[in-house]
Amino acid sequence: MHGKLLIVDNDPPTCARLASMLATHSPGVRWQTVPTEAIEQLQRDDFDVLLTEVCVRALQVQANHTPFELNGQATLEVAAHALCAGDYDFIARPVELESLVHAIARAVEHRRRNRELQRPHLVRGYPRNRGELVGTSRPIRAVHELVRRIAGTDAPVLLLGESGTGKELVARAIHEASPRAAGPFVALNCAAATPTLIESELFGHVKGAFTDARRARDGLFVEANGGTLFLDEIADLPLELQPKLLRALQEREVRPVGGSLEVRFDARIITATNTDLDERVEAGRFRSDLMYRIDVVRIDLPPLRERDHDVLVLAEHLLERYAAPGSAPRRLGEEAAAKLMAYDWPGNVRELENCIQRALAITHHEEIGVDDLPAKIRDHRSERVTLSFEDTASLVTLEELDSRYIRKVLDMVEGNKSKAARLLGMDRRSLYRRIDKLEGS
C-alpha cells in the first residue's frame, strides 16, 4: 500500500502490535498514545491515513489525512455513527491483517486521487504560448520549415528533444498554424499523475465509476474535438494504459471509465518525450505498435548548444519580454554575452530563460554584466578536444582517435545511444557494434 499511516490508541501494546503487523506493507507507520502529541505529529508530517479510536475524535479536525475508526464494538449503530461523522472506513476488533491492509490500501488510493483531482494543474498546467519559435540558426530553421509543411495535415507528430528545448511551444505552433487553430489546444503531462487519474483524464468517466466520480465527465480526447491533443512525456505513459490509447488512436473513439458506450472524437494527436523511445521499445517498456501509430512525423528539436548564435538572439528576446512595464529593455554586456555563448546549457531554453529573469531581478545597471549571471555560468570552462602535434609521441592512430571520440560523444549524451548515433552520423546497429568492440578491447 506504501502510504504513511499514523496509529493513535491509548494502549501502547495495541499500537506496537498494529505497527508491527503493518510495517511490512507500509514503511511509513508511526504511532502515538497521547492525542495532543498525535495532533502535533499530524501538523508536522503528511500522513495518508489516521487509524484511531472514537475517544480521540478531535484528531479528525486535521485535514491532511483519511480517518479510519478502530473500535471493539462491532455493531451497525457504532459503524454508522463513525461513517456519518466523516470516517472513511470502520474496522472492528479483533483486527484481521489481510482485511486491514486492503482497506488501508483503498484509503491511500482514495486520498491520493482526491488530492490530484483538487490540483488539475498537474495535468493541465500548460501556459498559453508567450512567443514564437525564436532563432535563426540552421537547426531551428529546419524545425520552422517542417512545422510549416505539416501544419495543414492531420498526421500524428512525435516531438523529440531534451528537457527545455521547447516541445510544448512547437506543439502549439503546429496547432496555431493548422486549420484547427480555432479549436481547443488540450494538454496532458503523462508523467504527472497516477495511472488511474491519467485514464480518467484521457477517456473520461461515468457517474459512480469510482469514489469521487459524483458526475460524468468527458475526457481530454473529447474535450479536444476540433482541435489538438498534446500528450507530453508520452514515454512515461503506464504500460497498462498503452493498449487503450492505441485502440483510441486506431478507432478514433474512447470508452469512459465505468462506461459501456463508445464516444467518437476528432482531434489531432501530438506527442512529445525527452526519452529515447526506441530504447524503451527495445526494453519492452513501450509498445512498438503504439510507437508506430504516434511516430508518423518525427521532429527532433535541437539542444541550445547546437544552435550557434541563437543563444544571443534568445537572450535579447527574453530581455525584452521580461523588461519591467514602462521601462526600456536592458542590454546584454559584451563579457556576459561571451559567457552565455561559452556555456553548454544542459537545461536548454528553459535554463536560459531562468538565467535572464535572475539577471534582470538582481542587476542595478542598464547593462547585464557577468556578475549578474549565475555562478555556474560565470565559472564555466568549456571542454574542448585538442590535438597537439608538437611531439610525435602524442600522436595516435586514427582508430584510437575514433574510439576516443565515440567515448566522448557517449559521455556527453549520458549514454543515450540513439542520440549518439545521430551525432556521429551512423545507424544504431553500427554504433552498437563499435561499442561492443570498444568494451572488448
Side-chain angles (χ1 to χ4, degrees), residues 21-34:
M21 289 169 59
L22 296 168
T24 57
H25 300 276
S26 176
V29 179
R30 301 290 184 272
W31 58 274
Q32 288 285 352
T33 59
V34 180

Side-chain angles (χ1 to χ4, degrees), residues 184-202:
F185 180 89
V186 179
L188 171 72
N189 187 333
C190 297
T194 63
T196 302
L197 181 59
I198 293 176
E199 183 178 17
S200 174
E201 283 288 323
L202 275 178

Side-chain angles (χ1 to χ4, degrees), residues 54 57 60 66-71 75-91 106:
V54 69
R57 173 69 63 186
Q60 298 183 7
T66 301
F68 264 72
E69 182 162 317
L70 184 66
N71 200 284
T75 66
L76 181 60
E77 182 180 358
V78 171
H81 181 271
L83 296 174
C84 290
D87 288 338
Y88 177 77
D89 207 343
F90 176 89
I91 305 296
R106 289 195 305 271

Side-chain angles (χ1 to χ4, degrees), residues 7 9 42 76 99 141 146 167 177 206 372:
I7 302 169
D9 193 291
L42 284 169
L76 181 60
S99 299
R141 290 203 312 269
L146 195 49
K167 296 184 287 295
V206 300
D372 300 319

Side-chain angles (χ1 to χ4, degrees), residues 6 8 50-54 56 59-60 68-71:
L6 179 63
V8 182
L50 169 64
L51 186 62
T52 183
E53 283 188 302
V54 69
V56 285
L59 288 171
Q60 298 183 7
F68 264 72
E69 182 162 317
L70 184 66
N71 200 284

Side-chain angles (χ1 to χ4, degrees), residues 96-210:
E96 292 184 1
L97 177 60
E98 186 177 355
S99 299
L100 181 59
V101 168
H102 285 311
I104 293 176
R106 289 195 305 271
V108 170
E109 178 63 22
H110 165 81
R111 195 242 181 176
R112 288 178 180 169
R113 182 190 292 147
N114 214 18
R115 293 179 70 186
E116 286 167 338
L117 288 173
Q118 294 170 7
R119 295 186 293 169
H121 63 276
L122 287 178
V123 291
R124 299 168 183 262
Y126 289 88
R128 285 293 299 169
N129 195 348
R130 293 182 296 177
E132 298 179 352
L133 295 171
V134 177
T136 58
S137 64
R138 181 179 296 178
I140 205 66
R141 290 203 312 269
V143 172
H144 275 288
E145 175 61 19
L146 195 49
V147 167
R148 185 189 66 78
R149 290 168 60 185
I150 67 171
T153 75
D154 268 344
V157 180
L158 173 62
L159 304 175
L160 300 176
E162 298 175 8
S163 179
T165 50
K167 296 184 287 295
E168 188 257 343
L169 196 64
V170 174
R172 284 193 180 276
I174 295 170
H175 170 74
E176 291 169 4
S178 75
R180 295 176 175 271
F185 180 89
V186 179
L188 171 72
N189 187 333
C190 297
T194 63
T196 302
L197 181 59
I198 293 176
E199 183 178 17
S200 174
E201 283 288 323
L202 275 178
F203 307 113
H205 60 254
V206 300
K207 182 180 179 181
F210 47 84

